[in-house]
Amino acid sequence: MHGDFRSLLSVFITLVIATSSVKAFYIPGWSIKSYVDDEAIPLHVNKVYSDNTQLQFAYYDLPFVCPPSGKKHAGYASGRSVSLNLGEVLRGDRIMASDFDLAMGQDQECQYLCSYKVNRQAVKRTRQLIDDGYVAEWIVDNLPGATSFVTVDRTHKYYAAGFKIGFTDLSPVTMRPRYFLNNHFTLVVRWRRAPGRSGSRGGKVIVGFEVYTKSIEKAHRDSTGCPQDVHGDSDGLEMYITPNNTHLAHQYPSSSYLPEEDDIDDGATLTIPYSYSVYFREDESIDWSKRWDMYFNNQEDSNIIHWLAILNSIVICSLLTVIVAMVISRTYRQVYGKDGTSDEGKVLIKRKKPKTGTKSPRLREKAPSGLLEQKDEVDEDVSSDDEEYVEDNSGWKLLHGDIFRSPKHAAFLAPLIGSGTQFVFMATGLLMLSCFGVLNPSFRGGFVSVGIGLFIFAGIIAGYFSSRMYKTFGGMNWRKNTWMVTSTPIPLVECGADG
């Protein structure tokens, strides 16, 4: 007995120590990736997405970006896909290595990337993506490239993952929208000294990755392809090719109006030059374990609003609980009284006297001492034997008859109960893993992957509860019900409803 108690105590202490150490690092990020000076840092491109549409595209599938050259950068050949887990695939990630050169501590004022020619169809497609508000996502050290924002009162800064591929404005002449493509990228990598022995040896960790975009016309670039003034103002690169309406003029010579847009490919192209700048800045105010907080702390006022909403929900639930408890307590007291027993609600039923006129056995055993006493004893025996109180089960008391009655469609109710336990197990597991830090933003796609794994594992629990409830309802072929209903149709319907 004492040995079992000691073993349980040791297991509990181990769990407490493991839980307290979770704050020091992300799980599964057991080892912090540190870089020394001049060490190459890989930059991966992922995808483009928009809040205005559900369609996502791989970055290298866009018709206006520089195609991968295939050269190795930081040990990765550009254009090579990175292995993804199930959650990343389902969320639309398409992570690939890029041609960007980054080295820890080395600032680059400007680096020419490529010049890419696009035709009219590609220009039209680019304008559509810019109009839909598409955002590109790049990744450095598992951090998505972020757009930096500052609060209204300028008290703190926060991040928004991704950066816009372009922007629009109105032409001062025609008052029509113009579309500009961002073709110069300023990459700001924030770092701090690595903790522990790695930091004493000169190791550095990345705590922030910011991307600042700019549209620069080709005429404002030098012979190397870099902008003449990276930080100054310049005209943007408009995604526009002068329409060629020669064939339309020949086709409709008498028409006074010709459309400006022409979808016919006449070989006209637009050259898009790409360049980037890299800056490394030390930032000791951000811990590596809290570097993701910048992506979620967008406004301080929003936290206050969340707490007010939570407090409001708690107050409303408490009031409703008190009201329901008072109604139930009042109903109970009216029926059963303060002592828990009451004759109210009982019906008095009188039995009919038998026609045979037989005497009571008590009269035969006891000899009468007088006529008056004999009459009183007969009346008492008749009143006690011929009257009976029967409890009146009416109204809400009739519920006890429906509680243990087998349902009409038990073959479908039992699998639904089993699937419900399956979802409860999955939700509880995800919540516990998130609380312990196993599921965190650094584990890209982990929430979906682990959720699917828990759902599949919980199929055992769903089968048990489904078969158990089916047998409780009086079902005979519980194996067929478990395999034919619980394991296949119900999950398909649930997944279809979620999709």
Side-chain angles (χ1 to χ4, degrees), residues 303-415:
N303 296 330
I304 299 176
I305 295 174
H306 289 316
W307 281 110
L308 290 177
I310 294 173
L311 182 62
N312 186 28
S313 301
I314 293 175
V315 171
I316 292 176
C317 293
S318 302
L319 290 177
L320 292 177
T321 303
V322 171
I323 292 173
V324 172
M326 291 177 61
V327 172
I328 294 176
S329 176
R330 186 175 181 180
T331 304
Y332 181 84
R333 290 181 179 180
Q334 287 180 354
V335 175
Y336 293 100
K338 296 182 179 180
D339 56 351
T341 59
S342 176
D343 292 338
E344 183 181 359
K346 294 183 179 181
V347 179
L348 178 62
I349 299 178
K350 293 184 178 181
R351 294 181 180 179
K352 295 182 178 180
K353 296 180 179 180
K355 297 180 180 180
T356 56
T358 56
K359 296 182 179 180
S360 173
R362 298 176 62 181
L363 297 177
R364 296 178 179 178
E365 294 176 1
K366 185 177 181 180
S369 58
L371 293 177
L372 295 177
E373 294 180 357
Q374 182 178 359
K375 183 177 180 180
D376 293 339
E377 290 178 358
V378 171
D379 292 340
E380 291 177 358
D381 292 339
V382 172
S383 61
S384 60
D385 293 341
D386 295 343
E387 294 179 358
E388 181 179 358
Y389 287 96
V390 179
E391 187 175 359
D392 182 18
N393 292 331
S394 61
W396 62 274
K397 295 181 180 180
L398 294 177
L399 291 176
H400 72 82
D402 295 332
I403 294 175
F404 301 102
R405 184 179 62 183
S406 298
K408 186 177 182 180
H409 302 285
F412 294 100
L413 179 60

Side-chain angles (χ1 to χ4, degrees), residues 423-436 439 450 454:
F423 270 101
V424 170
F425 179 85
M426 180 189 67
T428 305
L430 291 175
L431 182 61
M432 293 182 62
L433 293 176
S434 299
C435 293
F436 282 103
L439 299 179
V450 175
L454 290 176

Side-chain angles (χ1 to χ4, degrees), residues 115-177:
S115 292
Y116 190 66
K117 292 183 178 180
V118 294
N119 55 18
R120 294 184 183 276
Q121 295 293 333
V123 170
K124 183 179 180 180
R125 179 60 176 161
T126 306
R127 292 160 66 98
Q128 292 176 352
L129 294 176
I130 295 175
D131 191 36
D132 290 336
Y134 270 85
V135 174
E137 181 180 314
W138 295 352
I139 302 173
V140 168
D141 194 39
N142 206 23
L143 281 178
T147 302
S148 178
F149 296 95
V150 181
T151 56
V152 178
D153 54 1
R154 298 183 179 275
T155 56
H156 73 286
K157 181 175 66 173
Y158 62 94
Y159 288 160
F163 58 91
K164 289 192 175 183
I165 62 176
F167 61 94
T168 61
D169 69 350
L170 294 178
S171 173
V173 179
T174 61
M175 298 303 296
R176 293 184 178 181

Side-chain angles (χ1 to χ4, degrees), residues 17-311:
I17 295 175
T19 304
S20 61
S21 63
V22 166
K23 298 181 180 179
F25 49 81
Y26 280 116
I27 302 175
W30 294 92
S31 59
I32 301 175
K33 175 61 178 176
S34 60
Y35 301 89
V36 296
D37 290 336
D38 301 332
E39 183 179 355
I41 302 174
L43 188 150
H44 296 91
V45 296
N46 188 5
K47 60 184 178 181
V48 293
Y49 58 93
S50 174
D51 295 335
N52 302 322
T53 177
Q54 298 295 326
L55 298 178
Q56 300 180 0
F57 305 96
Y59 183 79
Y60 279 136
D61 290 343
L62 301 178
F64 53 86
V65 301
C66 294
S69 63
K71 298 179 181 180
K72 279 194 174 183
H73 301 273
Y76 296 91
S78 63
R80 180 183 177 183
S81 299
V82 178
S83 58
L84 306 174
N85 56 42
L86 180 60
E88 290 175 317
V89 174
L90 293 179
R91 68 193 296 264
D93 289 345
R94 300 294 183 268
I95 304 176
M96 300 181 183
S98 68
D99 285 312
F100 290 86
D101 287 323
L102 279 73
M104 175 58 74
Q106 292 186 2
D107 292 348
Q108 301 180 32
E109 186 69 20
C110 180
Q111 182 68 31
Y112 174 72
L113 188 61
C114 79
S115 292
Y116 190 66
K117 292 183 178 180
V118 294
N119 55 18
R120 294 184 183 276
Q121 295 293 333
V123 170
K124 183 179 180 180
R125 179 60 176 161
T126 306
R127 292 160 66 98
Q128 292 176 352
L129 294 176
I130 295 175
D131 191 36
D132 290 336
Y134 270 85
V135 174
E137 181 180 314
W138 295 352
I139 302 173
V140 168
D141 194 39
N142 206 23
L143 281 178
T147 302
S148 178
F149 296 95
V150 181
T151 56
V152 178
D153 54 1
R154 298 183 179 275
T155 56
H156 73 286
K157 181 175 66 173
Y158 62 94
Y159 288 160
F163 58 91
K164 289 192 175 183
I165 62 176
F167 61 94
T168 61
D169 69 350
L170 294 178
S171 173
V173 179
T174 61
M175 298 303 296
R176 293 184 178 181
R178 297 184 300 177
Y179 299 87
F180 295 89
L181 179 67
N182 294 322
N183 59 341
H184 181 80
F185 312 99
T186 300
L187 311 178
V188 179
V189 180
R190 302 192 177 275
W191 60 273
R192 65 172 297 164
R193 191 178 65 176
R197 297 179 180 178
S198 179
S200 61
R201 293 193 294 263
K204 301 175 181 178
V205 293
I206 297 176
V207 295
F209 176 40
E210 303 170 6
V211 180
Y212 300 90
T213 58
K214 194 174 184 180
S215 180
I216 302 177
E217 194 179 11
K218 182 180 179 181
H220 292 80
R221 294 176 178 264
D222 55 21
S223 58
T224 61
C226 289
Q228 297 176 358
D229 188 3
V230 176
H231 305 287
D233 296 333
S234 60
D235 296 334
L237 178 64
E238 183 179 0
M239 299 302 294
Y240 179 77
I241 299 178
T242 304
N244 185 4
N245 297 328
T246 305
H247 66 286
L248 293 178
H250 289 292
Q251 187 176 359
Y252 305 99
S254 60
S255 177
S256 60
Y257 170 76
L258 294 177
E260 295 183 359
E261 297 292 339
D262 188 7
D263 294 336
I264 298 177
D265 189 7
D266 57 353
T269 59
L270 175 66
T271 302
I272 306 175
Y274 286 95
S275 58
Y276 63 95
S277 304
V278 182
Y279 300 97
F280 288 86
R281 295 293 180 264
E282 184 178 3
D283 192 345
E284 294 290 341
S285 62
I286 304 175
D287 294 333
W288 188 89
S289 59
K290 297 181 179 180
R291 61 180 186 168
W292 281 91
D293 295 350
M294 297 286 289
Y295 293 87
F296 305 106
N297 295 335
N298 51 1
Q299 293 286 346
E300 291 183 353
D301 296 338
S302 62
N303 296 330
I304 299 176
I305 295 174
H306 289 316
W307 281 110
L308 290 177
I310 294 173
L311 182 62

